[in-house]
Amino acid sequence: MIAILKNGTTPAQTEHLIQWLKNMNLDVHVSHGHEVTILGLVGDTSRVDIELLNSLEIVETVKRVSEPFKQANRKFHPEDTVIDVGGVKIGGGHFAVIAGPCSIETEEQITEVAMAVKASGANILRGGAFKPRTSPYAFQGLKDAGIQLLLKAKEASGLPIITEIMNIRALELFENVDIIQVGARNMQNFDLLQELGKTKKPILLKRGLANTLQELLMSAEYIMSEGNENVILCERGIRSFETYTRNTLDLSAVPVLHELSHLPVIVDPSHATGKASLVPTMAAAAVAAGTDGIMVEVHNNPACALCDGAQSLTPAQFDALNTKLRKIREVMA
Ligand code: PEP
Ligand code: MN
């Protein structure tokens, strides 16, 4: 971190500031120019309140020269992280196809979809039991009973499963869940992230509706700094002024996250677009952008889905999508 002091700062003021910074266990390198003095701060600057430093009367400007995320940072971990989910690998050239309904509705529904997506090439089954709905009157998911049905579909299909946690109190229900999802709305629920960091479960962390990529990486850091390094990042679209699509899929997130971090990156074109007709094109674009996997909503009867039917593919559409993605991956390899 670099702090540039205002022209006219006295030596006594400079010395006072240096002592203050040293008390935070930082080394301070001083460079006196003709007009300005520059302080180079070396050490763990993650605890420095950049706004506070910037607001001091003698400080002209403060710049971070290193990212505040450490464990998720590729600089300190150059090789890709590969996450093993019940034998299925994600990242470092291993591609995940996660598919299933938005929410688990009945045993027949989740099992039928599980078998269908598996036959088409999915290697992980998704299904929501705890649903974060905008309206408190909308279907909230089958909760505990939903997890039990998902476990039955796991047994029937042999696919590892992913489902969302909304409250840490439900953690014991997730014992046989292979990946715990933190949804967009909880990306900055820091208590939840820290508690999940104390587990060893792979966590799929979705980008918040209005969060920057740096904020996403800082949230990953909350999990990792507690000891759980099994974090998968997920781009699922962000809020913009465009309303034709449910969200705006920020595909540049894929190469940016790969540049900044060693963690695997998954793209969810279903929540990004909100429209089944757009999902295959954006999934294909995500593969071309280098994603480590996709997560797609599939329902055996989208017209009757209790949640997100409009963006759900039928098993036949999902099958066609997989054939297309395999070809794109071959070209990309
Ligand atoms: C989901 O994947 O079921 C979901 C609710 O997604 P998001 O958190 O991205 O809205
Ligand atoms: Mn959904």
Side-chain angles (χ1 to χ4, degrees):
M1 188 181 281
I2 287 171
I4 301 174
L5 306 188
K6 282 187 186 150
N7 198 359
T9 301
T10 65
Q13 286 174 312
T14 306
E15 194 47 40
H16 190 249
L17 178 60
I18 291 171
Q19 281 314 318
W20 184 68
L21 293 164
K22 283 188 171 168
N23 285 342
M24 286 191 256
N25 276 336
L26 296 170
D27 280 336
V28 183
H29 297 257
V30 189
S31 152
H32 294 288
H34 274 311
E35 300 196 345
V36 289
T37 297
I38 299 173
L39 306 183
L41 316 185
V42 182
D44 181 8
T45 55
S46 60
R47 287 172 208 277
V48 177
D49 183 341
I50 193 161
E51 269 81 36
L52 175 66
L53 187 56
N54 229 335
S55 71
L56 300 179
E57 215 184 307
I58 59 169
V59 173
E60 179 74 47
T61 177
V62 182
K63 284 199 178 89
R64 269 196 194 281
V65 288
S66 67
E67 297 88 353
F69 50 96
K70 304 286 176 216
Q71 309 226 37
N73 202 320
R74 194 180 276 284
K75 272 187 202 148
F76 308 116
H77 187 300
E79 64 290 348
D80 290 338
T81 282
V82 179
I83 294 183
D84 195 306
V85 180
V88 174
K89 292 192 168 78
I90 310 177
H94 302 276
F95 194 81
V97 180
I98 308 173
C102 180
S103 56
I104 302 150
E105 298 170 7
T106 63
E107 184 173 345
E108 295 69 41
Q109 174 244 17
I110 188 66
T111 309
E112 199 177 311
V113 176
M115 301 314 273
V117 297
K118 184 185 180 182
S120 298
N123 47 15
I124 300 174
L125 174 67
R126 67 151 283 150
F130 295 93
K131 295 305 305 174
R133 305 303 300 276
T134 300
S135 165
Y137 308 117
F139 175 57
Q140 305 285 311
L142 296 181
K143 302 191 165 94
D144 308 30
I147 304 256
Q148 299 316 317
L149 297 183
L150 186 61
L151 289 171
K152 283 191 179 172
K154 170 180 173 169
E155 210 177 290
S157 64
L159 291 175
I161 53 173
I162 173 169
T163 192
E164 177 166 353
I165 195 164
M166 285 172 58
N167 193 311
I168 199 64
R169 287 199 302 270
L171 186 62
E172 63 180 29
L173 294 168
F174 288 70
E175 197 183 331
N176 295 313
V177 167
D178 301 280
I179 307 178
I180 302 181
Q181 174 172 319
V182 175
R185 289 153 192 84
N186 271 315
M187 189 204 90
Q188 288 192 312
N189 183 340
F190 301 121
D191 284 351
L192 179 64
L193 300 178
Q194 279 177 323
E195 290 304 318
L196 292 172
K198 293 174 188 151
T199 74
K200 287 279 164 262
K201 289 268 182 206
I203 309 294
L204 183 125
L205 178 64
K206 295 189 103 178
R207 181 180 184 180
L209 277 66
N211 285 111
T212 65
L213 295 173
Q214 176 153 319
E215 285 164 345
L216 173 63
L217 290 166
M218 291 308 290
S219 288
E221 199 76 11
Y222 263 94
I223 301 169
M224 298 175 86
S225 61
E226 293 294 329
N228 186 355
E229 293 176 354
N230 299 311
V231 180
I232 303 158
L233 305 169
C234 179
E235 165 59 38
R236 45 77 73 204
I238 48 176
R239 273 277 160 88
S240 76
F241 53 81
E242 181 55 69
T243 54
Y244 188 80
T245 46
R246 184 174 177 180
N247 291 288
T248 295
L249 181 56
D250 175 13
L251 271 185
S252 59
V254 178
V256 170
L257 290 171
H258 278 152
E259 216 166 88
L260 296 176
S261 176
H262 52 89
L263 298 173
V265 181
I266 298 282
V267 171
D268 171 352
S270 306
H271 292 90
T273 61
K275 290 184 165 76
S277 64
L278 302 176
V279 168
T281 309
M282 297 319 288
V287 173
T291 186
D292 298 297
I294 52 157
M295 180 155 81
V296 176
E297 287 188 343
V298 179
H299 197 286
N300 50 354
N301 187 1
C304 295
L306 294 182
C307 185
D308 287 350
Q311 67 193 32
S312 299
L313 299 185
T314 62
Q317 288 167 332
F318 178 70
D319 192 63
L321 170 61
N322 264 286
T323 306
K324 182 168 156 179
L325 294 190
R326 270 192 287 271
K327 288 184 192 151
I328 300 173
R329 281 170 51 212
E330 265 169 41
V331 175
M332 296 291 298

